[in-house]
Amino acid sequence: VKKCNLTGQWWNDLGSNMTIDEVKKNGDFTGKYLTAVSGSTSNITASPMVGSQQLANLSQPTFGFTVHWSFTDSITVFTGQCFVDEYGKEVLKTMWLLRSRVENIKNDWNATLVGYNTFGRNK
Ligand SMILES: O=C(CCCC[C@@H]1SC[C@@H]2NC(=O)N[C@@H]21)Nc1ccc([N+](=O)[O-])cc1
């Protein structure tokens, strides 16, 4: 049976590193996210994340998680699915929304970035 266990270390195409702690019986998990890139001038530090995954069929689960950036006033939500590729490698295909704080509601239109990241088990 193909299996994608989210627990452990992941690296994405930007070089960011994420560590997911044990996945609880209800699918919830916590972890730490160290981004390799930032649009903020602050020094990058590790940030806490919380998330959850589907448990229905343990094969190739969908999931989501939220990163509460510790160094700048913004939040990113990721959502995606874990796949096992033809070589048996686990791959996380994700899309994200990055919401930055803006001073004025007039700037709300310009406050959310969207993108995608692929994560693997090696740097
Ligand atoms: O920079 C930030 C917080 C860090 C975001 C990293 C993003 S999350 C999606 C993508 N995948 C990664 O692994 N890393 C990137 N916040 C921010 C950005 C821009 C501004 N801004 O004012 O332009 C303010 C805060």
Side-chain angles (χ1 to χ4, degrees):
V1 171
K2 289 186 171 190
K3 194 166 176 300
C4 269
N5 188 321
L6 295 183
T7 299
Q9 291 234 50
W10 299 91
W11 283 266
N12 73 16
D13 48 289
L14 294 169
S16 300
N17 170 244
M18 135 169 108
T19 304
I20 295 180
D21 309 325
E22 46 99 28
V23 177
K24 292 194 273 191
K25 292 211 178 4
N26 70 349
D28 292 354
F29 57 82
T30 58
K32 278 262 176 274
Y33 200 103
L34 185 58
T35 180
V37 298
S38 157
S40 148
T41 52
S42 311
N43 289 336
I44 295 173
T45 55
S47 301
M49 61 105 117
V50 294
S52 201
Q53 72 159 86
Q54 284 291 354
L55 299 166
N57 44 7
L58 273 183
S59 155
Q60 307 197 119
T62 53
F63 60 85
F65 58 88
T66 300
V67 185
H68 179 134
W69 302 110
S70 49
F71 59 94
T72 183
D73 191 345
S74 56
I75 297 268
T76 300
V77 293
F78 288 80
T79 191
Q81 184 169 354
C82 185
F83 295 101
V84 178
D85 70 15
E86 61 265 46
Y87 308 103
K89 274 197 339 342
E90 295 167 305
V91 175
L92 306 182
K93 298 300 283 179
T94 75
M95 290 190 71
W96 49 260
L97 293 170
L98 163 55
R99 172 69 201 216
S100 303
R101 183 185 178 284
V102 291
E103 267 312 307
N104 189 309
I105 191 168
K106 291 187 177 64
N107 304 325
D108 180 64
W109 65 274
N110 191 24
T112 307
L113 291 175
V114 61
Y116 51 94
N117 283 134
T118 299
F119 293 77
R121 287 291 190 178
N122 306 305
K123 281 181 190 150

